[in-house]
Amino acid sequence: ASRAYRFATGIDRRFDFGGSLSLAVGLDRTDARTPGGTSSPDPAWEGGLTLGLTQPLLRDFGRDVNRAVIRLSRNARSRSAADLERSMLDVVRQVEAAHHELVLAWRRLEVQQWLVEVGIEVRDVLEQRREFDARDAQFADAVARVEQRQADVLRARRAVQAASDRLKLLLNDEQLTIGSEALIRPAGGLDASAFTFNLRELVLEAIDRRPEIRRSLLLVDDASIRGQVASNGVLPRLDLSAQLGTRSLGDSAGEAGESLLDDEFVEYLLGLRFEMPIGNRGPEAVARRSRLERVQALAGYRELVQVVVQDVKSALRDIETGYDLIQATRNFRVAQAENLRALLVEKETLAGLTPEFLNLEFQRQETLAVARVQEFDALVRYREAVAALARATGSSLEDYGIEVDASGTGPAAGPMALGDG
């Protein structure tokens, strides 16, 4: 009977080019337990020190192949950061749109309230003229118009409440929750200054800053990395291995350990391993698939670039049209205001006000209200187009002082203020 014990440890270091260097130390104790036998020494301590090197020369060779997993992981993290930035851009865009709709809702409410005020004045005049030349039908029509305008005020107020709640929901402010009945009222006026631009610079800025573009480039890089690994997998295997070792034998562990540094029992090993698969259909299919995936990723990138260019051009056209529309609606509003002012001047000089004249005043009030709403709508749509351009170029976050931390700790947001401008 015999009993053996083994104690072993070692280290292994892999290199970027696929090779590995290992150092192993072992110590074996063998107790033969053979009374009267010839085993010597008994018990015996055998030590071993081995330095080994393996290096692929064809398959699995190269820095790009062996660091592929690391590169893919980094790209995955960068894609997550790009997805977060894209989501934040969409949220900012939604907040801007909700803010602009709230501005327009308030302006419509103000116009409807003004219509009620001036309509009541005309209705009261008609009521006073019922004793002279105003027929009951004409007075009833005036009353109906005022009531209709008051109903429009209620609808406009409800629209303000709904727009305010939508903005609260998007802002998610602890001091202004969706459950509160407080209304958000934007301060300031709508900025309608001219917008100067250079199409080429804006397109280049959009391609450089849009997170969707960065994500698409990362997908192309992923496909390239997988293609490199797949192409390498088609190669035959040729591995170089080298080993240098020393052995020792002693009556004790100390004696065996000290003898390891002697050169009496040194072992050398040098070898090549070659393997050529027959058929090799699996790796070749993977390589073909990876090439097709890269072509698909490149096609997706080109298509996305075209979409980005279209977004920029569409926003710029909306800005140009919106700016011209502001001037046109403003001229229309000024003309309608002058039309109503001329009628009011004539009203002050007339000795008697006929019901027909007062009905004409009703009509011009309503026409002026429509013109004012159209001007406000043009101003809001112009600001919407400017905001859409900022989203198309990917500059919305920077405009509001919001930064995305690509290290994975999350977004760092500065003060986000939405004025009417």
Side-chain angles (χ1 to χ4, degrees), residues 127-350:
E127 185 177 10
Q128 295 174 2
R129 298 194 63 84
R130 292 179 66 185
E131 300 177 358
F132 301 98
D133 54 356
R135 298 190 302 272
D136 291 341
Q138 293 171 332
F139 175 70
D141 181 67
V143 172
R145 282 192 173 185
V146 172
E147 294 299 327
Q148 178 63 42
R149 293 179 180 182
Q150 290 177 342
D152 291 338
V153 168
L154 296 177
R155 296 188 184 96
R157 185 176 291 115
R158 178 67 186 88
V160 168
Q161 293 171 345
S164 179
D165 287 344
R166 284 194 295 270
L167 186 56
K168 288 179 189 177
L169 190 62
L170 290 170
L171 291 177
N172 194 23
D173 192 338
E174 295 180 355
Q175 298 179 356
L176 194 63
T177 63
I178 186 64
S180 67
E181 291 297 326
L183 295 177
I184 301 177
R185 182 155 191 170
L190 290 170
D191 180 19
S193 58
F195 183 86
T196 58
F197 61 88
N198 182 292
L199 177 60
R200 181 177 180 276
E201 292 180 357
L202 288 175
V203 169
L204 292 177
E205 179 184 359
I207 294 175
D208 180 63
R209 303 181 66 169
R210 284 281 290 267
E212 297 92 336
I213 294 290
R214 294 200 302 272
R215 190 181 192 282
S216 182
L217 286 173
L218 290 170
L219 291 176
V220 173
D221 190 46
D222 284 352
S224 299
I225 294 171
R226 294 190 181 97
Q228 292 173 348
V229 175
S231 298
N232 182 269
V234 177
L235 299 175
R237 179 174 295 281
L238 179 61
D239 297 343
L240 171 66
S241 61
Q243 184 173 306
L244 174 63
T246 178
R247 310 291 295 180
S248 65
L249 185 66
D251 295 331
S252 64
E255 182 179 351
E258 292 176 0
S259 301
L260 281 176
L261 302 179
D262 299 337
D263 57 355
E264 296 181 1
F265 302 98
V266 180
E267 301 174 342
Y268 303 93
L269 177 64
L270 183 64
L272 282 175
R273 176 191 173 191
F274 180 76
E275 177 184 317
M276 173 65 77
I278 299 177
N280 205 24
R281 296 178 180 178
E284 289 180 355
V286 173
R288 286 196 297 269
R289 184 181 64 185
S290 65
R291 288 194 293 269
L292 293 176
E293 289 176 350
R294 188 175 187 276
V295 172
Q296 184 180 6
L298 286 172
Y301 169 73
R302 288 193 292 266
E303 181 180 357
L304 183 58
V305 169
Q306 293 176 356
V307 171
V308 169
V309 174
Q310 181 183 9
D311 290 344
V312 173
K313 292 182 66 176
S314 178
L316 288 175
R317 287 170 180 167
D318 290 342
I319 289 175
E320 291 179 333
T321 303
Y323 187 76
D324 294 338
L325 191 60
I326 289 174
Q327 190 61 41
T329 55
R330 182 168 294 165
N331 293 337
F332 176 57
R333 189 260 304 167
V334 171
Q336 292 300 328
E338 179 62 23
N339 197 3
L340 179 59
R341 188 194 66 81
L343 185 67
L344 294 178
V345 171
E346 185 179 354
K347 177 180 178 181
E348 294 177 356
T349 59
L350 288 177

